[in-house]
Amino acid sequence: MQELGQLPGIGARTAERLAFHLLKASDEDALGLAEAIRDLKTLIHPCRVCFNPTEGDVCNVCGDSRRDHTTICVVEQPKDLLAIESTGSYQGVYHVLMGHIAPLDGIEAGDLTIDALVARVRTGLGDGSGERICEIILATNPTVSGDGTSLHIASLLEPLGVKVTRLARGLPTGGQIEYANKTILSDAINERRNF
Amino acid sequence: MQELGQLPGIGARTAERLAFHLLKASDEDALGLAEAIRDLKTLIHPCRVCFNPTEGDVCNVCGDSRRDHTTICVVEQPKDLLAIESTGSYQGVYHVLMGHIAPLDGIEAGDLTIDALVARVRTGLGDGSGERICEIILATNPTVSGDGTSLHIASLLEPLGVKVTRLARGLPTGGQIEYANKTILSDAINERRNF
């Protein structure tokens, strides 16, 4: 119960319920869970190229030759990568920062995978093709720390001459103007596009 | 109670409570409300230029010479105008459509103030300056009916050679990528901007 209670979102009562469920469950089910947790820690490690968790040397996206390896989408967390993958609108590859710069929480730029990203851009595809990275899409969260992280990365990438873009910001599709807050509406007006 | 119960969001119980409140209230308060409602219907009418409700001939925005009268922001409802005004980021004038095209609800293009908008663009500022309208910002809601209305208006404005833009669509500032739905994320990727 003590171990289960350390999981996020699981309080003392839920931990108790889970523990009794495991006690009643078959050996197979309970040991299956234990095995899966052990595998998670021993088999899963960051992709050598983009730091997305994977079992292999490189992740599924980096290993897929049909994807556009000259466009890199930079995300904070693996779950952001999954969210963008689920749209099916992105054909490039990724780079997972593993967090955002937050000096107050003691997270500096050096704690993220920014150096590896800069090295990726500097060396090009690195598959012997000599092809260069064309575009870096900064897809950090549209928050203060996400914007700060993007700004820092953009300043590092600028001297390398690579095209740097960021996700569009504005009204969420399906929303209503009257319920949008002032910041969202200001962004939507200032970043307006040709129809 | 019957009359009060016809207001939106006010059920039988609330109507009862309001009616008894008015019964207990001073003559001054109760008659003040009655007077305000009468004034609303007799004094308030659409602005001659932009259809924003006003007491005067033209509304405060249209009558303000410090605003940029060559840029018109087209909104569905007066409350959208108020939302955009509250941001303080927009210096142009408005045009209120008074709804959106919704054939299933029997609202056709002719029921809106689209003809008046086209006439505004065609005749220019109409203040004798001979100045022409530079930009129309289509700020309908980012919904199916809002988009349809914008598309219809854009097709009417195209032959007039005026620049037509629309509000930016993408991630709402302050939001999180992992909680954005697929449509929002697709928009954010497809409409990405240079950093």
Side-chain angles (χ1 to χ4, degrees), chain A residues 89 135 142 173-174 186-187 192, chain B residues 89 135 141-142 173-174 186-187 192:
Chain A
S89 343
E135 180 180 356
T173 305
S186 288
D187 283 345
R192 63 182 182 266
Chain B
S89 344
E135 181 181 355
N141 281 318
T173 305
S186 288
D187 281 345
R192 63 183 182 266

Side-chain angles (χ1 to χ4, degrees), chain A:
Chain A
M1 281 185 221
Q2 223 163 25
E3 296 287 338
L4 286 166
Q6 287 168 14
L7 295 171
I10 293 184
R13 295 293 292 270
T14 313
E16 190 180 290
R17 193 168 354 123
L18 291 175
F20 279 113
H21 169 82
L22 288 172
L23 200 61
K24 274 201 293 187
S26 67
D27 277 15
E28 197 184 340
D29 283 356
L31 296 178
L33 178 60
E35 195 67 29
I37 293 172
R38 190 178 304 128
D39 285 357
L40 185 76
K41 297 307 284 184
T42 52
L43 297 181
I44 307 280
H45 52 87
C47 166
R48 181 170 55 80
V49 179
C50 76
F51 296 90
N52 185 25
T54 175
E55 283 189 32
D57 182 34
V58 294
C59 70
N60 287 341
V61 179
C62 288
D64 187 344
S65 61
R66 287 164 307 176
R67 309 221 25 157
D68 170 13
H69 288 255
T70 64
T71 304
I72 300 177
C73 180
V74 179
V75 295
E76 293 183 20
Q77 301 285 354
K79 51 193 172 185
D80 297 335
L81 185 156
L82 290 181
I84 295 177
E85 273 300 276
S86 73
T87 67
S89 343
Y90 180 64
Q91 300 306 321
V93 293
Y94 294 91
H95 190 89
V96 184
L97 294 173
M98 292 298 177
H100 52 244
I101 300 173
L104 292 178
D105 299 333
I107 309 171
E108 308 283 347
D111 300 324
L112 308 179
T113 66
I114 297 177
D115 291 346
L117 174 66
V118 174
R120 267 179 93 177
V121 175
R122 191 163 291 170
T123 57
L125 292 191
D127 58 355
S129 68
E131 213 174 330
R132 295 194 58 79
I133 307 290
C134 297
E135 180 180 356
I136 303 288
I137 306 170
L138 297 174
T140 53
N141 282 318
T143 54
V144 174
S145 48
D147 284 349
T149 308
S150 276
L151 207 61
H152 176 71
I153 297 174
S155 70
L156 294 176
L157 293 177
E158 207 196 341
L160 303 179
V162 68
K163 180 180 175 189
V164 180
T165 58
R166 64 168 176 77
L167 294 185
R169 203 160 292 187
L171 286 172
T173 305
Q176 298 276 321
I177 289 175
E178 56 174 312
Y179 301 128
N181 67 34
K182 291 180 190 182
T183 326
I184 296 175
L185 271 178
S186 288
D187 283 345
I189 296 168
N190 295 332
E191 302 198 358
R192 63 182 182 266
R193 300 168 62 91
N194 286 329
F195 195 84

